[in-house]
Amino acid sequence: MKMNYKLQLRLPSFRQTTSLVGWTLIGGLIAVMGGMPHGTVLQSAEVETENDVQKPVEPAAVTPKKPRLKSQDMVDQRNWVFSPYKIKIWITTDNSPRFQTIQQDRLQQEMRSYVRNWVGAAWCIELEAPPDLIYTDILHNFDDVQMLDIAALYEPLPINRKDRLRSVKYGPKETPKPAVVDEETEEDSETQEEESEPAVFVPLQTLVSPNPLPQLDKIFAVSLKDRHGVFELKVAEFDTNARVRVLAATRRFRNLDELPEQLFSCIEQVFSPISRIQYNGMTDGKTASLEMRAVGLVPDIREPSPLMLQKGDVLRPVVRKNDRTTRAPVYDGVIEVIWTYMFVNHVISHEETSLGTIRSNGSARAEVISTFTMLRNPMAARRNTAQQKYGLLVRPTENSSLLKITAMGRDDYTLQGYNVFAKSPKLDPEDKSDMPTINIGQTDWRGGIEIDQDIFAGQGKTKLVVIYVKNGRRVLARLPIVPGYRPVEVASLPNDDYRLQYEAFVVGLQNSVLDYTVQRKVYEIRITHHVNEGEEKEARELLKALEKVPGLEEIDAILALREASLQDNVTIDSVTRPQIDRMFLQTRELINEYLQGNLVLKMTDLVNDKFGRPDPATSLP
């Protein structure tokens, strides 16, 4: 028989515990219990079996304790607007003996001096070596290091829920139990079944503790190498809030004493201030409310500050979906919304009359320009505590970008000869004037066209440009880009070449129908005139000319033959085919409307009724 051993301590009531004797008895009992070896049964404890009845115990007044958060469950306690950026600079160096002279304390002091002169007290930086698990990758595989590699140092890798379900469905088969087992074996098997979990592949990880990511804003990874007397410095920015790698910069110099200056120059180039996109229940997806990070520490927004967003600045949105238990992004939980940008059109500020300065509470409004997004309305989703939205400032690093257009589903098939137009969005939403549209040109043999950064230079506009791609009479896409931000922008559009071919055929056929309709009407008027005047010869000559003009049957036969070739062409995608079918339907309706009736038969009857039927012998040539 199984025995359940339960230890019940008869605690005195609250009034009795106020006496000195009560506290003495409790302290002695706890001391005795703490000194007993494991497995010892106290005589004052009541041993009950399954058949015994448990006696009620008076509840003691206990103050509930707050659950202690693990390192992975740390809650961000930062004030988003009035607390400084928390930044770590990870420095890696190769085994060159010249780097032995670098004093990290002095380097950190000089970097803090540069930062203080640049952003004041809005940055809190710390220089250190990265964890050993990622040190070599930053040094030698600098371009391949991503934010997920850094997060894997401190947080378990997210598991795809589909993989978990698949592992449950197709897990290992259960082994049959033996026919005769003893009691101990049966108890062990029951325990194993209770403790068994679905077989899910979990990669081996060595986690570093504690986890600093919830309290950090930026990580600058630095790779410093000695290239035969020329020092190569690479710096990349990783944003821990949006969990993305932002920008990278490279410097080469010969004097190692220039390291602080060169390092700060790289950080100054790649730094992208971040803003939090606030929930707005009334938004329609075209506007967004922003909360800028640490701008409350800017003493006067009239002075230039790298933290402060200005009117016309462009941001790219990042949506982060967190796991409710680990506070880390779930599988595919970081979404960089494609073909979506925001530009600031209003920054809210107030004047401090006592100090004579203009301050900001971190609030701003932005206009959202979006198309071809994975999310239908990425900025107007409902409030969700597990979902966070951020906007990173876009900094163009080149003078132009190559816009390359490929066919959807076929990256090797480029769309050539497509017309490309550009338009600048309005900075002021109350501006009623129409922005000019510029014809940039046509895509070349690569399906690409260069978009210069200074298209709208001198107009005081934002760096964001809206590109319109047109083929024939149809606008295929509306693409917002920032020229110079990415070297190549690739857009996959439906292959419109087949539609354009059929459109050219249909438009030509419709023009022919219009021409034939006019000719038929002219012949009808002239034949009727000659019949009324009694001019048989002229009427019969015009009747023969009318017979040569194509009618309803001839045009419908041409249209049916071309439509049959459409059904046999399997390369036309499912998006273009309905559009071509619609053109054929409109053309057939046009033919039936204007070429309806047999005009030749009508005019022949009119002439014969007036002059009689012609003699077949005299009508022969």
Side-chain angles (χ1 to χ4, degrees):
M1 185 188 332
K2 298 181 180 179
M3 304 291 291
N4 290 337
Y5 297 92
K6 299 180 181 179
L7 181 61
Q8 296 182 354
L9 299 180
R10 300 293 186 177
L11 297 178
S13 63
F14 179 76
R15 295 180 179 178
Q16 294 174 349
T17 53
T18 55
S19 63
L20 180 61
V21 178
W23 286 107
T24 305
L25 292 175
I26 295 175
L29 182 58
I30 294 175
V32 173
M33 291 177 59
M36 287 186 177
H38 178 70
T40 306
V41 181
L42 295 178
Q43 294 181 359
S44 61
E46 297 180 5
V47 180
E48 298 179 354
T49 62
E50 293 181 350
N51 298 327
D52 296 335
V53 178
Q54 183 177 357
K55 298 180 180 180
V57 181
E58 296 181 359
V62 180
T63 303
K65 297 182 180 180
K66 297 182 179 180
R68 181 177 298 177
L69 294 176
K70 300 180 181 179
S71 60
Q72 298 173 0
D73 300 336
M74 296 175 62
V75 180
D76 188 4
Q77 300 292 341
R78 296 169 296 175
N79 188 303
W80 186 259
V81 178
F82 295 96
S83 63
Y85 276 84
K86 296 297 182 65
I87 297 174
K88 283 186 178 294
I89 302 177
W90 286 353
I91 299 181
T92 63
T93 59
D94 59 14
N95 55 0
S96 174
R98 299 185 179 184
F99 297 144
Q100 302 298 326
T101 60
I102 298 178
Q103 299 180 7
Q104 184 172 351
D105 295 341
R106 182 178 179 181
L107 178 61
Q108 179 168 282
Q109 184 178 2
E110 293 182 1
M111 287 299 301
R112 288 179 176 175
S113 177
Y114 279 117
V115 168
R116 192 179 304 109
N117 294 331
W118 187 43
V119 295
W123 273 26
C124 181
I125 66 171
E126 183 178 354
L127 275 69
E128 61 181 23
D132 296 337
L133 298 175
I134 203 172
Y135 192 100
T136 304
D137 288 335
I138 295 177
L139 182 61
H140 299 289
N141 303 321
F142 182 82
D143 296 333
D144 298 330
V145 178
Q146 300 298 326
M147 186 61 207
L148 182 60
D149 302 325
I150 297 178
L153 300 173
Y154 307 101
E155 300 168 349
L157 290 174
I159 300 175
N160 190 0
R161 185 173 179 270
K162 296 181 180 179
D163 296 339
R164 180 183 293 273
L165 295 178
R166 192 180 300 114
S167 64
V168 174
K169 184 176 181 180
Y170 303 102
K173 297 182 179 180
E174 297 181 0
T175 56
K177 297 181 180 180
V180 180
V181 293
D182 54 4
E183 295 182 359
E184 295 180 358
T185 307
E186 183 178 359
E187 292 179 1
D188 295 339
S189 62
E190 292 177 358
T191 305
Q192 293 177 1
E193 290 179 0
E194 293 177 357
E195 296 178 354
S196 63
E197 296 180 354
V200 180
F201 173 74
V202 180
L204 297 178
Q205 286 184 262
T206 303
L207 299 181
V208 180
S209 182
N211 180 13
L213 296 183
Q215 306 298 329
L216 286 179
D217 293 288
K218 303 284 186 180
I219 293 178
F220 292 100
V222 180
S223 172
L224 183 60
K225 294 182 181 180
D226 186 358
R227 301 292 190 183
H228 305 288
V230 177
F231 302 107
E232 183 183 64
L233 177 66
K234 294 183 179 180
V235 178
E237 178 190 0
F238 297 89
D239 192 276
T240 58
N241 294 301
R243 295 297 177 95
V244 292
R245 174 170 174 158
V246 189
L247 291 175
T250 303
R251 298 287 189 273
R252 289 178 176 85
F253 53 97
R254 292 183 177 274
N255 189 357
L256 195 58
D257 294 337
E258 300 178 3
L259 177 60
E261 181 181 356
Q262 297 292 343
L263 178 58
F264 174 74
S265 175
C266 292
I267 293 177
E268 185 180 11
Q269 176 182 342
V270 302
F271 171 67
S272 297
I274 189 171
S275 299
R276 192 161 53 187
I277 301 175
Q278 296 294 325
Y279 172 79
N280 186 0
M282 300 300 294
T283 183
D284 54 357
K286 297 181 180 179
T287 58
S289 299
L290 303 177
E291 189 179 22
M292 297 175 285
R293 179 79 174 96
V295 298
L297 301 178
V298 178
D300 194 340
I301 63 175
R302 291 175 296 185
E303 300 293 333
S305 174
L307 308 178
M308 194 70 194
L309 295 180
Q310 303 296 332
K311 189 174 183 178
D313 285 346
V314 185
L315 297 91
R316 62 185 179 105
V318 178
V319 179
R320 170 180 166 181
K321 298 179 180 179
N322 293 337
D323 185 82
R324 296 184 182 276
T325 57
T326 62
R327 308 283 183 178
V330 298
Y331 186 85
D332 292 338
V334 178
I335 303 174
E336 298 187 57
V337 188
I338 62 174
W339 298 113
T340 300
Y341 290 97
M342 300 178 295
F343 65 90
V344 180
N345 55 14
H346 182 65
V347 178
I348 301 175
S349 61
H350 62 278
E351 183 178 359
E352 295 284 351
T353 56
S354 58
L355 301 176
T357 60
I358 298 179
R359 305 289 298 274
S360 173
N361 61 351
S363 300
R365 289 196 299 268
E367 187 79 10
V368 180
I369 304 295
S370 176
T371 183
F372 275 19
T373 57
M374 300 296 293
L375 303 176
R376 183 178 179 182
N377 199 351
M379 298 299 106
R382 294 182 301 174
R383 185 191 300 271
N384 188 354
T385 57
Q387 186 181 94
Q388 298 171 334
K389 303 170 190 175
Y390 300 98
L392 286 168
L393 181 66
V394 174
R395 292 182 178 272
T397 57
E398 303 292 338
N399 295 326
S400 64
S401 296
L402 177 65
L403 176 61
K404 187 176 180 181
I405 303 175
T406 61
M408 186 176 297
R410 293 185 58 185
D411 296 338
D412 57 339
Y413 187 88
T414 59
L415 303 182
Q416 309 172 15
Y418 283 40
N419 297 316
V420 179
F421 300 86
K423 193 173 183 179
S424 178
K426 298 180 182 179
L427 280 181
D428 189 0
E430 298 180 357
D431 187 7
K432 303 300 181 182
S433 62
D434 190 14
M435 296 291 105
T437 302
I438 300 177
N439 186 2
I440 301 178
Q442 292 183 339
T443 55
D444 55 14
W445 59 274
R446 303 169 298 175
I449 186 172
E450 288 287 341
I451 310 296
D452 295 331
Q453 186 178 356
D454 56 350
I455 296 180
F456 299 98
Q459 299 183 15
K461 305 299 180 182
T462 176
K463 297 178 181 178
L464 181 65
V465 177
V466 182
I467 300 297
Y468 293 87
V469 182
K470 191 176 181 181
N471 189 28
R473 297 183 300 177
R474 180 191 174 202
V475 178
L476 299 180
R478 175 175 175 264
L479 307 173
I481 67 172
V482 179
Y485 179 58
R486 294 187 179 94
V488 181
E489 296 276 4
V490 180
S492 297
L493 304 181
N495 187 1
D496 200 56
D497 292 339
Y498 293 108
R499 188 202 62 82
L500 187 61
Q501 294 176 9
Y502 283 95
E503 180 184 352
F505 164 76
V506 168
V507 171
L509 189 61
Q510 291 176 357
N511 292 333
S512 299
V513 170
L514 179 62
D515 185 34
Y516 297 151
T517 302
V518 174
Q519 292 184 34
R520 284 158 56 91
K521 192 64 177 178
V522 170
Y523 281 125
E524 181 183 3
I525 295 174
R526 294 181 63 185
I527 292 173
T528 303
H529 172 73
H530 289 300
V531 169
N532 294 333
E533 295 294 330
E535 300 172 353
E536 180 182 3
K537 181 181 178 181
E538 290 80 359
R540 293 194 182 278
E541 289 178 354
L542 291 176
L543 185 61
K544 291 181 180 180
L546 177 61
E547 293 176 354
K548 298 179 181 179
V549 179
L552 175 63
E553 296 180 356
E554 292 83 356
I555 300 298
D556 189 70
I558 297 174
L559 189 64
L561 182 62
R562 187 69 172 178
E563 192 173 8
S565 65
L566 171 65
Q567 305 300 329
D568 298 335
N569 194 342
V570 297
T571 58
I572 301 178
D573 56 82
S574 59
V575 178
T576 307
R577 187 177 295 273
Q579 300 172 359
I580 300 176
D581 292 337
R582 196 178 303 112
M583 290 189 295
F584 276 103
L585 180 60
Q586 294 174 355
T587 306
R588 183 164 280 106
E589 293 176 353
L590 184 67
I591 294 173
N592 294 331
E593 180 180 357
Y594 290 97
L595 299 180
Q596 187 177 11
N598 194 337
L599 184 61
V600 176
L601 181 61
K602 178 182 177 181
M603 291 294 101
T604 302
D605 293 340
L606 179 64
V607 174
N608 292 338
D609 292 342
K610 178 68 176 179
F611 304 106
R613 294 185 178 274
D615 187 2
T618 58
S619 62
L620 294 175

